Amino acid sequence: MCKFNFNISLSVLNHLGRNLYRNFITVIGEAVSNSWDADAENVWITIDKEKRYMSIVDDGIGMDEKGFQDKFLKIGYTKRKNNIIKSTKGRPFIGRKGIGKLALLSCAEKIHIATKTKTSTIVGGVIDNSELDKAITDDLNSQDYQLQAVSSEALTKLKNVEQGTAICFENITDDIINTIEYIKKAIALYFKFSLIDNDFNIYVNSELITIQQLNDLARQTQFVWVINNFTEPFLENKTTGINPKEIINIVSSLPIKGYIATTAKPANTKIRGTNEKVTLDLFVNGRLREKDILRHIPTARIVESYTFGQIYADSLDKGIGKDIFTSSREGIIFNDPDFQTVLAEIKSIFGNLMEQWDDLRRKYGEAGDPDNTSISPKARKAEELFNQTLTDMKLPKPKKVKPGQPQQENPVQKWVRELAVEAQFNIPSYSECFISENLLRKYIEYTNLSLSQEAKTEAAKWKERESNSKEAANISYDVRQSNGDIYYLDMNYLANLVDKVPNASPKIAGLSRSATIYKPLRDSVGHTSLLTENAKNQLNIEYNNIQARIVKLLESFEEKKK
């Protein structure tokens, strides 16, 4: 009886996602992951944008002829056989399904591969994607397509290493749109292998990539939330110069760790010279698995545009068993219950963070989140005006302290902080007074109401005082836009003129009733005094009455005009 076996068409390469990898950084990440799994100590990446060329060389364990055929060229080969989930050096394997190499084999017109072990000669070959495309079109079987012989280009790359692998990309399919500077920053930010093993180094165009690539971002970092006592070089002042105004510790019951940070301005999250920005990302075993995790839990709150960070959830890697990563290896299967649990925790953490961020921003005199209703919109705007005025005043700054030491508050800072709280009340109160009294004046002018003799006498008194003050100050020009009597009268007189309650009818609503109580409180605000809580409460009550009465008068006036 005949024995049968599977015969795989090369077209399966396209079905598996040969063209899924459109991100150049992802291609680099796949190669770096392979070098990590191969126990390499060094990875040398060379990029020539003009020639659309890149080479990636490592000094890992390499492959002999059998390994190159049965492992590298075997689509779907997994390193995690027989419950082996770590390399000889104890590194947790990044690769799982063995299809990530499709990113490497299809992103350029030609891919040159050379590899060797300590005991084998160099083996390898060249994949010409135009030939591979033709073979796929002709529906050839996998065993009917053979690589071209290993090239001198790839052979040369291995001359200085005892063992390792070299991959050269000739005529990269899409132009390398990222700047070299961005590529360096992306590697420093996303490929955290060196944080797991200090003996793993990545070089780009001969420059060792370190956390120093992120110094600009570190210095613009304003607040940091650390999850489950996470530490890493980016958060160390001696490494990056980071000196956030506040560091807040977060305890999570889940086996996650990491940090969430916010910058001083949204523009600080953008990488200079590119359209890219740093985001809050999810890592598993040191590898980026979900870039911009907040897109799964959008809040539409302004704080998102200030946020970046990294959360590590190594428990999502289930080893030999369950695999929750997408075929493209650039994400996690969204409806996986374990992933949903992690997402729910991140959502909860970020929800609390948003409230804290607003308080911290306001504490340090900066605009916070206008959608946070913990304070009224009027109080928030007043606070912003207060802070901007302080900025324009350029008050003395506190003395600088050494990195890592707490900032000492000087007396001026303390006074400013106390006034900031009062400004939330006093500035809107002045605005309310300004609008109400001037609306009444406009109403009086338009309706040609006659002033009482008492009002004229009061106006004359204030005119005389102003005249004397101008003489003393040697001012000969007009101070007020109008010298009409009503512009020298406060709410008390204006209310009596427009809406006076007869003495015989004290229960009738009218402006004059509220204005009498309002006057001493209004005068205190007008003279920039700080009010007691009782006075604030009374002023709010009387102003609400005045506001409602003015609106009613104006509505009645509009009805009469019709």
Side-chain angles (χ1 to χ4, degrees):
M1 183 176 180
C2 294
K3 292 186 177 182
F4 300 96
N5 61 280
F6 284 107
N7 194 345
I8 304 299
S9 168
L10 285 174
S11 63
V12 76
L13 297 182
N14 284 342
H15 298 311
L16 283 173
R18 179 167 166 248
N19 297 313
L20 277 178
Y21 291 82
R22 310 306 300 169
N23 188 320
F24 184 71
I25 301 300
T26 303
V27 173
I28 294 178
E30 191 62 45
V32 172
S33 297
N34 287 344
S35 298
W36 167 266
D37 287 350
D39 278 339
E41 293 184 359
N42 300 285
V43 181
W44 297 274
I45 302 171
T46 302
I47 302 171
D48 188 324
K49 290 186 62 174
E50 292 185 1
K51 294 182 179 179
R52 293 164 52 207
Y53 171 87
M54 176 174 69
S55 67
I56 301 177
V57 182
D58 69 45
D59 57 1
I61 58 174
M63 292 168 281
D64 56 17
E65 183 175 300
K66 179 175 175 56
F68 182 63
Q69 177 62 58
D70 294 345
K71 296 178 181 179
F72 188 83
L73 292 179
K74 182 178 180 180
I75 307 302
Y77 170 80
T78 177
K79 309 178 183 77
R80 303 186 181 203
K81 289 183 176 180
N82 302 320
N83 288 322
I84 299 174
I85 60 174
K86 292 185 178 181
S87 70
T88 303
K89 287 186 177 181
R91 294 174 178 174
F93 282 138
I94 299 296
R96 289 190 63 99
K97 292 180 178 178
I99 64 173
K101 60 177 69 75
L102 292 176
L104 306 177
L105 305 184
S106 59
C107 71
E109 292 179 10
K110 288 186 178 182
I111 297 93
H112 306 249
I113 307 124
T115 184
K116 66 178 180 180
T117 67
K118 284 184 178 180
T119 58
S120 71
T121 58
I122 296 177
V123 298
V126 177
I127 298 173
D128 186 327
N129 269 302
S130 62
E131 291 182 0
L132 182 58
D133 287 338
K134 185 177 185 304
I136 291 173
T137 301
D138 293 342
D139 199 25
L140 294 184
N141 295 325
S142 56
Q143 62 266 32
D144 295 328
Y145 174 79
Q146 293 185 342
L147 274 62
Q148 298 176 8
V150 63
S151 65
S152 59
E153 168 74 15
L155 289 170
T156 303
K157 295 292 183 180
L158 291 180
K159 66 180 182 180
N160 294 322
V161 294
E162 184 179 13
Q163 60 182 9
T165 300
I167 305 176
C168 305
F169 303 86
E170 179 184 344
N171 292 327
I172 291 173
T173 308
D174 295 324
D175 290 341
I176 305 173
I177 60 173
N178 304 114
T179 64
I180 300 298
E181 186 65 24
Y182 168 70
I183 292 170
K184 292 176 181 177
K185 288 183 182 296
I187 290 173
L189 192 63
Y190 300 138
F191 305 147
K192 295 293 189 177
F193 307 98
S194 60
L195 301 180
I196 302 173
D197 188 335
N198 292 327
D199 293 328
F200 188 77
N201 303 305
I202 304 173
Y203 298 83
V204 174
N205 288 0
S206 301
E207 179 183 351
L208 175 64
I209 303 303
T210 70
I211 207 70
Q212 304 294 330
Q213 296 287 339
L214 305 178
N215 283 357
D216 289 344
L217 178 62
R219 290 163 187 162
Q220 296 298 334
T221 299
Q222 193 173 41
F223 310 119
V224 176
W225 287 260
V226 175
I227 303 171
N228 287 338
N229 298 313
F230 177 73
T231 59
E232 68 147 73
F234 177 78
L235 300 177
E236 297 174 3
N237 182 278
K238 63 182 180 181
T239 305
T240 59
I242 191 172
N243 192 21
K245 294 181 182 294
E246 300 262 358
I247 299 176
I248 301 95
N249 293 310
I250 296 173
V251 176
S252 171
S253 60
L254 293 186
I256 63 174
K257 58 185 178 180
Y259 70 93
I260 303 175
T262 58
T263 54
K265 299 177 182 178
N268 297 144
T269 63
K270 295 181 180 178
I271 297 177
R272 285 186 296 180
T274 75
N275 292 322
E276 303 286 343
K277 67 189 292 288
V278 292
T279 52
L280 179 60
D281 307 318
L282 182 67
F283 289 73
V284 179
N285 283 341
R287 179 173 177 177
L288 176 64
R289 288 298 187 180
E290 283 282 348
K291 181 167 170 55
D292 191 12
I293 194 70
L294 291 180
R295 64 192 168 88
H296 291 306
I297 47 174
T299 66
R301 298 280 285 274
I302 191 173
V303 64
E304 285 190 41
S305 61
Y306 293 77
T307 301
F308 72 97
Q310 297 178 349
I311 296 176
Y312 295 82
D314 292 349
S315 62
L316 291 178
D317 188 336
K318 301 301 180 181
I320 300 298
K322 180 181 176 184
D323 184 2
I324 66 171
F325 304 110
T326 62
S327 295
S328 71
R329 321 313 289 155
E330 295 179 298
I332 301 174
I333 297 172
F334 183 73
N335 60 359
D336 176 80
D338 292 331
F339 182 46
Q340 286 297 314
T341 299
V342 170
L343 273 183
E345 181 72 350
I346 295 172
K347 183 177 182 179
S348 175
I349 290 172
F350 195 72
N352 294 328
L353 179 153
M354 287 191 294
E355 307 304 313
Q356 294 172 349
W357 180 80
D358 183 52
D359 291 339
L360 290 170
R361 289 280 291 185
R362 291 169 42 232
K363 173 182 175 181
Y364 288 97
E366 298 186 61
D369 182 359
D371 291 328
N372 187 346
T373 57
S374 61
I375 64 172
S376 69
K378 282 194 297 187
R380 186 178 294 278
K381 290 297 181 183
E383 191 175 60
E384 291 175 4
L385 177 58
F386 176 84
N387 291 332
Q388 185 59 55
T389 303
L390 284 178
T391 300
D392 294 343
M393 288 178 69
K394 298 180 180 178
L395 293 173
K397 294 183 178 180
K399 293 181 180 179
K400 291 184 177 181
V401 297
K402 293 181 179 180
Q405 292 185 351
Q407 183 69 59
Q408 298 297 318
E409 187 178 58
N410 61 33
V412 175
Q413 287 178 292
K414 182 175 181 293
W415 301 336
V416 165
R417 182 166 46 80
E418 292 170 350
L419 287 176
V421 177
E422 297 301 323
Q424 292 181 27
F425 182 87
N426 279 48
I427 292 176
S429 295
Y430 175 80
S431 177
E432 292 162 355
C433 178
F434 171 83
I435 293 171
S436 299
E437 293 187 7
N438 278 291
L439 277 176
L440 285 179
R441 291 183 182 116
K442 296 291 185 183
Y443 178 85
I444 291 167
E445 285 182 324
Y446 192 85
T447 55
N448 294 317
L449 288 176
S450 299
L451 296 183
S452 66
Q453 186 56 50
E454 183 183 3
K456 291 179 180 179
T457 301
E458 179 70 11
K461 181 181 73 174
W462 286 104
K463 283 184 178 182
E464 183 179 0
R465 290 184 63 175
E466 181 181 272
S467 178
N468 293 337
S469 297
K470 287 172 62 179
E471 287 290 336
N474 194 29
I475 294 176
S476 57
Y477 54 82
D478 288 335
V479 175
R480 301 173 188 250
Q481 290 184 8
S482 173
N483 291 317
D485 286 349
I486 58 173
Y487 289 93
Y488 290 84
L489 301 176
D490 62 14
M491 175 61 76
N492 200 33
Y493 281 91
L494 296 172
N496 278 314
L497 183 63
V498 173
D499 193 31
K500 184 176 182 179
V501 176
N503 292 332
S505 307
K507 294 185 179 181
I508 297 176
L511 277 177
S512 60
R513 291 182 61 196
S514 293
T516 301
I517 303 173
Y518 183 73
K519 178 175 173 51
L521 307 174
R522 174 264 194 206
D523 289 348
S524 296
V525 171
H527 288 92
T528 66
S529 295
L530 306 181
L531 274 61
T532 64
E533 287 303 311
N534 285 337
K536 289 178 182 177
N537 292 335
Q538 188 65 51
L539 185 58
N540 276 331
I541 292 170
E542 298 308 329
Y543 176 71
N544 287 335
N545 286 332
I546 288 171
Q547 182 188 50
R549 190 62 181 169
I550 289 175
V551 170
K552 191 170 184 179
L553 281 170
L554 295 178
E555 288 176 346
S556 175
F557 174 65
E558 287 295 320
E559 288 296 324
K560 289 177 182 178
K561 284 175 58 180
K562 294 178 181 178

